[in-house]
Amino acid sequence: MAQVTVRQLAEVVGTPVDRLLTQLAEAGIQVGDPDAAISDDQKMQLLTHLRQSHGEDPSAEPRKITLKRRSVSEIKLTGNQGRAKTVSVEVRKKRTYVKRSAVMEEEAKRRAEEDAVRQVELDKLRAEEAVREAARAEKQAAEDAKRQAEEQERKARQEEETKRKQEAESHARADAERRRAEADARREADEEDRRMRAALPKGKPGTPAAAPTAPAAGAEGHTRYGRAELHVAHEMSSKRRKKPGKARTAVSVQLESKHGFEKPVAPQVREVAIPETITVGELAARMAVKANEVIKVMMGMGAMATINQLIDQETAAIVVDEMGHKAKLLKESDLEDQVVNVKQEGEEVTRAPVVTVMGHVDHGKTSLLDYIRKTRVAAREAGGITQHIGAYHVQTPKGAITFLDTPGHAAFTAMRARGAKVTDIVVLVVAADDGVMPQTVEAINHARAAEVPIVVAITKSDKPEADFDRVRNDLSKHQIIPEEWGGENIFVQVSAKTGAGIDALLDSIVVQAEVMELKAVADGPATGFVLESSLEKGRGVVATVLVQKGKLKTGDILLAGPEFGRVRAMFDEAGERIEEAGPSMPALVLGLSGTPNAGDEAVVVPDERKAREVALYRQGKFRDVKLARAQGAKLEDVFQQLAEGQKSLTLLIKSDVQGSAEALRDALSQLSTDEIKVKVVASSVGGITESDVNLATASKAVIIGFNVRADAGARRLAAEAGLDVRYYSVIYEAIDDVKKAMGGMLSPELREQIVGLAEVRDVFRSSKIGAIAGCLVVEGYVKRNNPIRVLRNDVVIFQGALESLRRFKDDVNEVRAGTECGIGVKDYNDVQPGDKIECYERVEVARTL
């Protein structure tokens, strides 16, 4: 290396010259002139001195070594005019090697720090445990004190009860003694009466006339006040003769009467159990109050409700607390959680990967699967496009693979989202001649949301217009980088027509599955996912279930969403009957009580009674949600009726499978505009029946049958009612027809079209007519019945109609360009030479969406 001066070295390292001279002197290098040359050895001596001054060991070896490599390759790109150009691609790689001793020092340091942190956490846990122990001791002391107080209170109640029993016994003994005394007195009185009657003389003269009546009086007293009475009346004793010199006293006994009901002196506080939803009337019954009082409390809280209206759990708890009771919140999903959360026990085994094929419509997804399965599925699809989600378990030379074929049409977004949810690997199909399309980007977003790896299959590679570089560049904009460019995604060029690249695609899927180490428990109750459901004639409800864990067998009790049932039979994708299905295997299941929703979780439960309870609970929740949604729709209809010019198109959708019904309902509902609202009154699975026709007649709806037909009774009823029934097998045809129908419901748009222009050359005054403008028609024509505008300096100053149009002295209806005429403007006499009269007409134009 050539020698440099001190000044040049100072400029290179960015330090003042004076400071550098001082550092050289400290290092033992005697250089006094800034322009003096300095050698490499002197530079190294200076560097060693600076390292020592900063505490570094000059003899220490480097801790890290970084190696950088660079490679250059070329790619061909197609320009705007179809010309190919070559672009250089530079790939830079950097690799850092760390010295083992440095790593060990860092590891020792890290372990020391972890030990210190662990010791701090241990001390903290001990302190927390001490605090909890103190809290437990305090809580135990409080409980002991409470228990002692309750024991003392119980003893006091027992003593009070014993005292009350003793008082009652003493009162009973006193009453018995009074009754005995009364009976003895009555006996003595009767004995005395008998003695007095026996002592009277019989038949002697001078006997009083009233004497014979004494026994009668005594007899009457004996029958009226017998021994059953508890007191002796004063009237009875007064009628009897008294013995001279002996006083008689009447014994009176009064029984103490006690009422059977005592009004509580304190208000009753009840514990009210509140489910997730409850009516106002039921809540009032549980609190033992009238429903009017509950409604009054809710009105005071600002909530208007009727006696049969459902209220949520939180509102009900607030009402219960407001009325002085205790609310007990019930969680109705406890049984559901207990039944659904099945623990899988057993040894995990390697399972087949679940691969979802996604991409834009008509990019060859189903054709690719056909070549793998050696079938012709695409030929059976209406319009050549897939409109259902298909599940296929394929035995390939590379191993078993489960493929899910998803539709590519924009309306099947929900289906693609479900396919990405249950998949392990996503095969993104992109046509080499078409490139990246909107549904391709949507499939990428679904795969990223599910956090699954993406393998790109570039189809139609045998076409001459195939451009693979364009596909790679378009996908790289969405962070899908091929491995050749340093990315993580596998790109494979395939052709479903010639079979080129199919083996490479299967190898890539198998390698990706081995890296992921897919495992599942093969025995025990099965859990899975409902991919699709339909209602078939002769077989009933058919559901496509993808088993994820366990083993699904014939005869198992299956709970799928709001439906349940015993599995009567199972079939594979080829229609062959099977007895069991393991992990990653799709199966067509027969025996459910109804069509579950696509996307519901399916689980095998041991008890049919619990399965029925969970299904009824879910159906009740769905019914409540549907009722609340219907009430919201009614309120929305009221606002729509209040709006001026609001129109609606009512539809009733029947489809062959649940997923298509959902996709069609969502796609048609999204067509709503500010002027026309698309309202779907019902969407279900199965053929069109008489009940569907009656519902459509009542709601004035149009029936749309997607891959289904109406039976004989429904056709007859629809013909009698004049109901419109449309049949479709391709989804975009149904969407286009509904768009046309909505366009026909739009009110026409009025547009103004200029038909002629006349220039005012002179103005003539008439006493009868007024101002007459002498004009020359320069463009188009002027008609008598058309409206006009008067322009002055190209500014509209009047808008009205013609009063007269003359050619010479004759009235005419129309004057063409290049012809002079006389024009009288109605209700306007300020026409001046140089003005222009513009003639136009209003035209109705049909509007479209």
Side-chain angles (χ1 to χ4, degrees):
M1 182 175 180
Q3 294 182 349
V4 297
T5 62
V6 176
R7 191 182 305 279
Q8 292 175 349
L9 181 60
E11 292 178 358
V12 171
V13 300
T15 183
V17 179
D18 298 337
R19 184 178 179 186
L20 183 58
L21 289 173
T22 304
Q23 291 175 348
L24 288 171
E26 293 175 354
I29 304 172
Q30 300 299 328
V31 179
D33 189 4
D35 295 328
I38 183 171
S39 63
D40 293 341
D41 296 337
Q42 291 176 341
K43 292 179 189 176
M44 185 57 65
Q45 185 178 352
L46 175 62
L47 181 59
T48 303
H49 168 70
L50 293 176
R51 286 179 176 174
Q52 290 178 354
S53 62
H54 287 86
E56 296 183 2
D57 187 6
S59 61
E61 297 179 355
R63 299 169 63 88
K64 296 182 180 179
I65 297 177
T66 302
L67 300 181
K68 298 182 179 178
R69 289 192 177 93
R70 182 179 63 180
S71 61
V72 181
S73 61
E74 295 182 354
I75 61 173
K76 293 182 179 181
L77 298 178
T78 304
N80 296 332
Q81 299 179 356
R83 297 178 181 177
K85 60 180 180 179
T86 302
V87 179
S88 296
V89 179
E90 180 179 334
V91 179
R92 296 180 179 179
K93 296 183 179 179
K94 182 173 70 173
R95 181 171 296 176
T96 302
Y97 297 91
V98 183
K99 189 176 180 182
R100 183 180 301 274
S101 60
V103 174
M104 294 177 65
E105 291 176 2
E106 293 179 357
E107 182 69 19
K109 184 177 179 181
R110 183 182 59 81
R111 289 180 178 176
E113 292 177 355
E114 289 180 354
D115 292 339
V117 172
R118 193 177 299 109
Q119 185 63 32
V120 172
E121 292 180 352
L122 184 59
D123 295 340
K124 185 178 178 181
L125 290 175
R126 289 174 179 173
E128 292 178 355
E129 183 65 26
V131 172
R132 284 196 295 269
E133 187 65 28
R136 281 197 296 268
E138 184 178 356
K139 183 178 179 182
Q140 184 67 27
E143 291 179 354
D144 293 341
K146 183 179 178 180
R147 197 160 43 248
Q148 291 178 1
E150 291 177 353
E151 184 67 22
Q152 293 178 359
E153 185 179 357
R154 185 180 61 80
K155 291 181 179 180
R157 284 199 302 269
Q158 290 179 354
E159 293 176 357
E160 185 179 357
E161 185 70 21
T162 304
K163 184 177 180 182
R164 188 163 54 249
K165 289 181 179 179
Q166 292 176 355
E167 292 179 353
E169 292 176 357
S170 62
H171 286 304
R173 285 195 298 269
D175 292 340
E177 291 177 358
R178 282 195 296 270
R179 284 194 291 272
R180 283 197 299 271
E182 180 187 357
D184 294 341
R186 205 164 34 245
R187 239 186 341 266
E188 291 178 358
D190 293 341
E191 289 293 334
E192 184 178 356
D193 288 340
R194 280 196 296 272
R195 283 196 300 270
M196 291 177 64
R197 284 195 298 272
L200 287 175
K202 297 180 179 180
K204 289 183 178 181
T207 303
T213 61
E220 183 181 357
H222 181 73
T223 56
R224 185 174 180 182
Y225 303 100
R227 289 185 176 273
E229 295 295 333
L230 299 180
H231 63 277
V232 180
H234 179 70
E235 291 81 4
M236 175 182 168
S237 59
S238 62
K239 292 180 181 179
R240 298 190 180 105
R241 292 176 178 262
K242 295 182 180 180
K243 207 170 184 181
K246 189 175 182 181
R248 296 280 308 273
T249 58
V251 180
S252 177
V253 180
Q254 296 181 355
L255 292 180
E256 182 181 359
S257 62
K258 185 177 182 181
H259 201 279
F261 172 76
E262 292 183 0
K263 183 178 180 181
V265 296
Q268 296 291 324
V269 178
R270 293 180 172 84
E271 186 178 18
V272 182
I274 303 175
E276 293 184 356
T277 56
I278 189 173
T279 62
V280 175
E282 186 179 356
L283 181 62
R286 295 190 179 188
M287 291 189 294
V289 296
K290 294 183 178 180
N292 295 338
E293 298 182 11
V294 179
I295 295 174
K296 188 184 300 183
V297 171
M298 295 186 66
M299 290 176 63
M301 295 166 55
M304 303 296 294
T306 60
I307 189 172
N308 295 322
Q309 183 172 342
L310 284 172
I311 57 177
D312 58 344
Q313 192 178 56
E314 184 178 356
T315 305
I318 295 174
V319 173
V320 170
D321 293 340
E322 187 71 19
M323 299 190 71
H325 299 284
K326 294 182 180 179
K328 180 182 179 182
L329 304 182
L330 298 180
K331 187 178 180 182
E332 296 184 359
S333 59
D334 291 340
L335 178 61
E336 181 182 11
D337 297 339
Q338 180 183 358
V339 173
V340 173
N341 296 331
V342 179
K343 293 183 179 180
Q344 298 287 347
E345 297 180 355
E347 183 180 358
E348 293 186 348
V349 297
T350 304
R351 63 176 177 85
V354 179
V355 180
T356 300
V357 183
M358 304 176 72
H360 192 70
V361 63
D362 200 22
H363 272 202
K365 300 182 296 297
T366 307
S367 300
L368 181 63
L369 280 178
D370 285 347
Y371 190 89
I372 297 174
R373 299 175 57 233
K374 306 298 182 183
T375 58
R376 298 282 296 169
V377 176
R380 299 199 299 268
E381 293 287 354
I385 66 172
T386 300
Q387 301 181 109
H388 309 110
I389 186 167
Y392 314 105
H393 191 71
V394 182
Q395 293 291 342
T396 66
K398 310 298 181 183
I401 302 176
T402 298
F403 287 98
L404 300 183
D405 186 13
T406 59
H409 194 272
F412 295 97
T413 300
M415 280 192 183
R416 287 190 292 275
R418 285 194 293 270
K421 181 180 178 182
V422 299
T423 189
D424 300 319
I425 303 171
V426 168
V427 174
L428 183 64
V429 176
V430 185
D433 60 341
D434 204 4
V436 177
M437 301 300 287
Q439 270 63 59
T440 310
V441 179
E442 181 188 330
I444 294 173
N445 295 332
H446 287 318
R448 284 181 178 163
E451 298 181 354
V452 294
I454 300 175
V455 177
V456 180
I458 305 177
T459 57
K460 303 181 182 180
S461 60
D462 56 329
K463 286 192 173 183
E465 59 269 20
D467 191 352
F468 302 107
D469 292 334
R470 174 194 172 192
V471 174
R472 291 188 179 93
N473 291 331
D474 292 344
L475 288 175
S476 63
K477 298 177 183 178
H478 300 282
Q479 306 302 320
I480 305 297
I481 311 297
E483 289 182 337
E484 296 83 1
W485 292 5
E488 298 179 353
N489 300 104
I490 303 174
F491 278 59
V492 183
Q493 299 175 10
V494 298
S495 174
K497 185 176 181 180
T498 62
I502 300 296
D503 293 336
L505 178 62
L506 295 178
D507 288 338
S508 301
I509 293 174
V510 172
V511 169
Q512 188 68 50
E514 290 177 355
V515 172
M516 297 176 68
E517 296 181 356
L518 303 174
K519 293 185 178 181
V521 178
D523 297 326
T527 59
F529 193 82
V530 178
L531 298 176
E532 196 60 272
S533 64
S534 61
L535 190 63
E536 298 183 6
K537 187 175 182 179
R539 295 205 295 181
V541 178
V542 178
T544 304
V545 178
L546 176 64
V547 180
Q548 294 176 318
K549 297 179 182 179
K551 185 174 293 184
L552 181 61
K553 303 177 183 177
T554 304
D556 288 344
I557 301 170
L558 187 65
L559 176 65
E563 309 297 338
F564 77 101
R566 190 179 294 275
V567 179
R568 293 190 288 107
M570 289 193 300
F571 301 88
D572 59 5
E573 68 275 5
E576 299 294 334
R577 187 156 185 165
I578 57 177
E579 295 297 329
E580 60 183 24
S584 301
M585 283 191 62
L588 272 69
V589 177
L590 276 64
L592 293 178
S593 58
T595 55
N597 297 323
D600 286 343
E601 183 181 1
V603 60
V604 173
V605 297
D607 191 355
E608 185 175 1
R609 182 181 60 83
K610 291 184 178 180
R612 182 182 291 106
E613 290 180 4
V614 174
L616 292 177
Y617 165 68
R618 291 177 175 177
Q619 292 173 7
K621 288 182 63 177
F622 175 75
R623 194 181 303 113
D624 295 342
V625 172
K626 186 177 180 181
L627 179 61
R629 189 179 301 169
Q631 291 178 353
K634 291 178 181 179
L635 185 60
E636 185 179 355
D637 293 341
V638 171
F639 287 116
Q640 288 180 1
Q641 294 174 3
L642 294 177
E644 296 182 357
Q646 182 70 36
K647 298 179 181 179
S648 63
L649 177 62
T650 308
L651 303 175
L652 189 147
I653 299 174
K654 298 286 289 187
S655 177
D656 55 343
V657 294
Q658 188 74 30
S660 298
E662 178 188 8
L664 197 60
R665 180 191 64 204
D666 295 340
L668 296 180
S669 300
Q670 291 175 1
L671 297 178
S672 301
T673 61
D674 295 337
E675 297 185 23
I676 300 177
K677 178 177 178 58
V678 178
K679 182 180 179 182
V680 180
V681 293
S683 62
S684 56
V685 177
I688 302 173
T689 60
E690 294 184 5
S691 60
D692 298 327
V693 176
N694 292 329
L695 177 58
T697 304
S699 57
K700 299 179 181 179
V702 177
I703 298 179
I704 293 180
F706 190 76
N707 290 330
V708 295
R709 295 294 181 267
D711 55 16
R715 289 196 298 269
R716 175 182 53 78
L717 196 60
E720 293 176 356
L723 194 65
D724 190 8
V725 181
R726 300 291 185 93
Y727 301 112
Y728 300 97
S729 57
V730 182
I731 190 168
Y732 52 74
E733 293 180 358
I735 296 174
D736 293 341
D737 284 357
V738 173
K739 282 185 178 179
K740 292 178 183 178
M742 293 175 64
M745 296 175 63
L746 293 173
S747 57
E749 181 181 0
L750 293 177
R751 295 182 182 176
E752 296 180 355
Q753 184 176 357
I754 300 174
V755 297
L757 183 67
E759 293 183 355
V760 179
R761 299 297 177 88
D762 200 355
V763 179
F764 305 95
R765 303 289 177 179
S766 173
S767 59
K768 295 182 179 180
I769 303 177
I772 301 298
C775 304
L776 174 64
V777 181
V778 293
E779 293 180 8
Y781 59 88
V782 178
K783 267 189 175 182
R784 178 190 296 273
N785 297 326
N786 287 0
I788 63 168
R789 294 189 184 94
V790 179
L791 309 178
R792 183 173 297 167
N793 297 327
D794 294 331
V795 178
V796 178
I797 60 173
F798 178 76
Q799 186 171 351
L802 292 177
E803 188 173 12
S804 63
L805 178 64
R806 292 190 177 188
R807 172 79 175 139
F808 297 107
K809 293 184 178 181
D810 300 330
D811 290 334
V812 293
N813 289 328
E814 181 180 329
V815 179
R816 293 281 174 177
T819 308
E820 294 181 347
C821 61
I823 296 176
V825 182
K826 188 176 182 180
D827 298 332
Y828 188 73
N829 294 321
D830 193 19
V831 181
Q832 298 179 7
D835 293 347
K836 296 178 182 179
I837 297 178
E838 183 181 78
C839 182
Y840 65 94
E841 63 182 3
R842 294 185 176 92
V843 181
E844 289 186 355
V845 179
R847 297 170 58 192
T848 57
L849 292 176

